[in-house]
Amino acid sequence: MILSIRGGAVIDGTEVLAIYVSKKTSLSVGDFISVFNVILFSFSALLVSVETAMYSMLTYFAASKTVDFIINGIEEYIGVTIVSRNAAEVKQAIIDKLGRGVTVYNSESGYGKTGVNFNENKILFCVVTRLEVTRLLLEIDKIDEEAFVVQHAIKDTKGGMIKKRPLH
């Protein structure tokens, strides 16, 4: 099934509908297949048995994640936002050691007991592959153990420096 979808073919109508819906909404192909099958197996639980339907759902959850992995590839991108007192050093480490580009935002902070503490800071944003996240976090920890790091999956990217630049 997975190789069929990747090659542009389908096994049943579910994949056609899933590909169409994934292009029109934020759902991935695997997510749509999962939702569709949960609904389908909920009805079949009434006809067959709850246990059989649950095993079928479990199988399709695993299959849907595999479908997303095969369709999107191993290089799923993760957006990482970093707030650090040592932003300049972290930025240089990302550029030099990971070969990735970094966007720097100016910011003002608001935190503490009074709720307001306006310090000018730098916020770093970079896009790495899922496989590079651990290495990035290790590099950040070496420089600033108290850095605030937020990660989020990125569905699609365009422009900029997506591929790694060669390290010298």
Side-chain angles (χ1 to χ4, degrees), residues 82-88 104-111 116-124 144:
I82 307 154
V83 181
S84 170
R85 291 187 180 120
N86 304 320
V104 180
Y105 297 102
N106 291 320
S107 72
E108 292 180 353
S109 300
Y111 58 89
V116 179
N117 185 357
F118 294 108
N119 295 330
E120 286 193 19
N121 293 316
K122 302 286 183 194
I123 296 176
L124 306 176
D144 185 1

Side-chain angles (χ1 to χ4, degrees), residues 69 72-77 100 129-131 163:
F69 184 74
N72 297 330
I74 198 165
E75 289 198 358
E76 180 182 2
Y77 291 106
R100 290 292 181 178
T129 65
R130 182 176 21 150
L131 300 175
K163 298 290 182 190

Side-chain angles (χ1 to χ4, degrees), residues 20-57:
Y20 176 77
V21 169
S22 74
K23 290 180 181 178
K24 300 290 183 187
T25 66
S26 63
L27 283 175
S28 70
V29 173
D31 289 342
F32 179 81
I33 291 172
S34 291
V35 169
F36 181 82
N37 284 310
V38 163
I39 294 167
L40 179 69
F41 292 132
S42 296
F43 285 117
S44 54
L46 299 172
L47 298 174
V48 183
S49 74
V50 174
E51 184 178 353
T52 303
M54 294 300 279
Y55 281 123
S56 297
M57 279 189 219

